Amino acid sequence: MMRWLSEWWRGGTAAVEPASARDAARLAQLHGASFARGWGEGEFESMISEPNTLVHRLRLGRKTIGFAVSRMGADEAEILSIAIDADERGRGLSRDLLLTHLGHLAGKGVRTVFLEVEENNAPARRLYERAGFAVVGRRERYYRQASGEQLNALLMRRDLS
Ligand SMILES: CC(C)(COP(=O)(O)OP(=O)(O)OC[C@H]1O[C@@H](n2cnc3c(N)ncnc32)[C@H](O)[C@@H]1OP(=O)(O)O)[C@@H](O)C(=O)NCCC(=O)NCCS
């Protein structure tokens, strides 16, 4: 398909950009729709303004449809959260978001990145594996569902160079 036509079909050009204070409400909305324990607008405002957290938004045309958040300490970082609007999942947009986010972490001197992922979260595990993360640990019954079900967490790591 011609590039302009495929972009129009997808809803515009996708761009990964640093989040600003004005994004806090939308990011809290996206987070709340993706995770059982949502983060409020105030939590996003703090993370966006603090120097040790890095927040990117994923924009498609004029809509913000995703985000990635990390916390940095010395030369390590932890990805705290990454999510895409449910309507926009499954189109490969998360890869660009994650790789750009990792590039910015590297630019800030981060050499090792960790994250935790629920063992049965296939799209997230696939995303991380394809982006070069490897499983380095497993925590039994780490996440508790509202139903009382307990799920295992995997700890993943990737070195940046
Ligand atoms: C995790 C998330 C950001 C991935 O975004 P996405 O748009 O669904 O990702 P993609 O379309 O790029 O798919 C990622 C990979 O998973 C695969 N995948 C998607 N759904 C899948 C499924 N149900 N089972 C197995 N693999 C799946 C895709 O094929 C793709 O692999 P590929 O690159 O080899 O083709 C998104 O699903 C999301 O927001 N989930 C809710 C929040 C969340 O769980 N975040 C992670 C917390 S650790």
Side-chain angles (χ1 to χ4, degrees), residues 35 82-84 89-92 94 116 121-124 126 128 130:
F35 298 100
I82 180 163
I84 296 208
R89 285 178 202 158
R91 306 157 77 182
S94 60
E116 277 158 13
N121 189 344
R126 180 88 186 131
Y128 299 141
R130 292 228 348 190

Side-chain angles (χ1 to χ4, degrees), residues 37-58:
R37 201 195 75 74
W39 294 343
E41 187 176 339
E43 287 175 85
F44 270 99
E45 269 169 12
S46 327
M47 291 188 295
I48 289 164
S49 65
E50 280 164 17
N52 67 334
T53 42
L54 186 66
V55 186
H56 280 100
R57 67 172 184 225
L58 171 66

Side-chain angles (χ1 to χ4, degrees), residues 101-111 160-161:
H101 189 73
L102 293 176
H104 282 263
L105 288 173
K108 289 178 178 290
V110 169
R111 300 175 69 111
L160 305 176
S161 49

Side-chain angles (χ1 to χ4, degrees), residues 31 40 42 46 59 88 95 98 112 118-119 136 141 147 151:
H31 191 280
S46 327
R59 195 167 50 72
E88 310 290 352
R95 190 175 158 79
L98 178 60
T112 311
E118 196 266 299
E119 197 172 45
V136 293
R141 294 187 287 281
S147 61
L151 301 169

